[in-house]
Structures are given as C-alpha cells and as structure tokens.
Amino acid sequence: MYKKRQISIIGGAGHVGFPLGLVLSSKGFNVKLVDINRENIKKINSGKIPFLEDGAQLLLRKMLKKKKINATKDFNQIRFSKYIIVCIGTPIDSNLNPDIKNFIKFFKTIKKFIHKDQIIIIRSSVYPGICEKVYNIIKTKNKNLSYCPERIVQGQSIKELPNISQLVSGKNEKSISESISLFKTICKKIIKVEIIEAELVKLFSNAYRYIHFSISNQLLMISEKQNLNFFKIRELMKDSYPRNAHIPMSGFTAGPCLLKDTMQLSSFFDKKFSLGHAAMEVNEGMPKYIIQNLERTYNLKKKTIGLLGLTFKADSDDIRDSLAIKLLNYLKRKKIKTLYSDEFFTLEGAVNKKDLINRSDIIIISSPHKAYKKIKFPKNKVLIDIWGHTNKTNF
C-alpha cells in the first residue's frame, strides 16, 4: 500500500527531478529521488548538490536533516508512493528524429511496480502522442496518467517554480484533480489543458526561443560582414522603441532542450518546419562561422586559440550539447593549438584563465560567465566576443 505523502521522482538526481524533489520535500512530502546515476545519488545523500542549482545546497541539507528526501537506485520504492513523477530524458537520434524507444521501454519496465490508485505524472518533454502510447502500455494496471511539463530555466528551478504557471493535463478526472492538488502546493497558478495542448506548448515554447536566438545570430553575421558593430546596432534598435525591447543577445544557442525540442516539433510536422531548420543551421553553424572568419585574416596553424568557457550557458557547470565543446572539437580536428578554461566545469587538460590569456594569440569567449566581464584583455590579443560582454568583436 502506498503512503499518501510519499512521492517517487524517476530521474530524481537529474536537472529536472532533483530541484523539483527539493521543493516538494520542503512542503512536507516524503520524496524518493529514484535514479541510475550512482555518483549523483551518493552526492545527494551526503548533502552535496550534484550540479549548480541556485538555493539547492542549503535546502538539501535541511531536508536531509528532516529525513524528507532520499536518493536511491531502488525502483521498488515507487510501489509505496502515491505520486510517481517521471523526469527522464527524451533525446533525438543522429538523424534529428525523436528517440523514444528507451522512454517507451521504461514504462514497460516499471509497469510491474505500479497499481491502480497511484498518480503517474510525466514531466519530460515528449513528442506529441507519446503520452497516449504510454497510457496504452500502463492502462491495464493504472489509468491515472497526467502530463505536467517542466518549464523552468535550468539552475533557477527553486526560484521559478512558485512563479511560473503549471500546465496540468491528464487521461481522466482523477489524474487531473490529483495533479492539480499536488502542484498547487508549489505553484501559484495552475492551467488545466488537454494533453496534446500541453505537449505542443512545451515544444512550441522551446522552438520559439530557439528561432528567436537565431535571429540575433544571423544579424550578428550580417553586421560583421559590413564591418559594423552588431551590439551597437542592437542598442539603437531598442532605444526608445519598445517593439524591439526583447531582441536577444547573440551567442551560442545550445543546451539539452532548445535544439532537441525544435527537432521533435519538426518531426511531428513531417520535417516541414522550415523556420526550425533554418534556425538550426544558423545556431549550430556558429562555431564554424567563427573559425572560418578568423581563417580569412590569420594563419591559424601558427596561432594559439584560447577558449574561455566550456558550458552551454552562463554561470553553469553543464556541458550537455554545449557549442563551446563542439567548437573545441572542431579546432582539434583542424589540428589548431587550443587552450581552454572554465569557471565551473573542469575538463582534462584545461588551464587557468590567466595562463590562457597570457599564452593565447586569439581569445574566444565561448561561454558568457559573469567573471569574464571583469577581465581587462591585453590590447595585443585578438578577442572574439559574440555575447556582447566587451561590446565588440575582432574579426
């Protein structure tokens, strides 16, 4: 028999499940973070956060002390939870199609652990129609399936969860009402929707952001070709003109969600999502664009290039799908001498940033960590800054 105040979060040691578990445990629930990542499980149970998450360290120690949260690899724990929240990954394959085999296989595996009175909540980004496939797998054991997608900026979950609306959808009234009851404890606003609407809201949102960022990257390229400063032009666009107020800064548009969900949406639309594919060409092409521009002016075989930052976003320790890493690999393939450093992630062979600056002929700010804004770069160095940290580039 399950315990009414117990929650099992599958993928609970990951970037989506871990902070969600912390917040739910702070509301009095007993949370089991079920995962296969032994290293993250060990860290969590010893009171150490497995990755950067604002506000998580203090909350984790507090919840461990109260015995409200625990990480485990024992999937049998889900038998005793009223709520089972699934936060596992939904990747795309090498052909940019949704790779759903493991996601579907997972529900076939856990079917033996569930029973009819539990509430099963999918929180992962999913290809439209996947929830229906999952329901068909588990319906002989449990018909209470909900889809309540995660919509948080990575690293800010604890801060954002109370302030961002939570979409709730489900296969029956019980799954919907119980999910609403759960999320009302941590979210100020709940929006009841259909499952297909929730699936598309998640994908539409990430595709919109991905395309939005690609516009600025394309405008940067146009400006650079005319030997003009995109960052100055961007400020002129915004100056006393509110319709341009939200134009994003240029930079490496990467991470585990934006490209993936844009390609999931494209697959759903029979590969006819031309805007999404155009955005992918621009965003994924940025590392190559930078090096090709440099090659027009410099013999890179005789230069040392330094990469400042390896993570996919500012002040993060996450390198998943990082374009900075792709840039590093591209330079290695071209056999160009490259140094690299990061404030939050340590990669074998890395150097400290002071050493990198001293030894590099060309410095590329490849992740926009705030610490790099304070650097006074020597005038004899070529600086490539696509993020606007220094308000200039040197192509």
Side-chain angles (χ1 to χ4, degrees), residues 311-327:
T311 60
F312 86 85
K313 61 182 287 189
D315 301 325
S316 167
D317 58 353
D318 193 349
I319 63 165
R320 289 179 298 167
D321 291 324
S322 167
L323 284 177
I325 295 292
K326 291 181 181 180
L327 173 58

Side-chain angles (χ1 to χ4, degrees), residues 51-67:
F51 41 77
L52 291 177
E53 181 70 42
D54 196 24
Q57 184 63 76
L58 185 63
L59 188 56
L60 173 61
R61 289 176 180 170
K62 186 177 179 181
M63 292 302 103
L64 284 172
K65 188 175 181 179
K66 290 186 174 184
K67 297 183 179 180

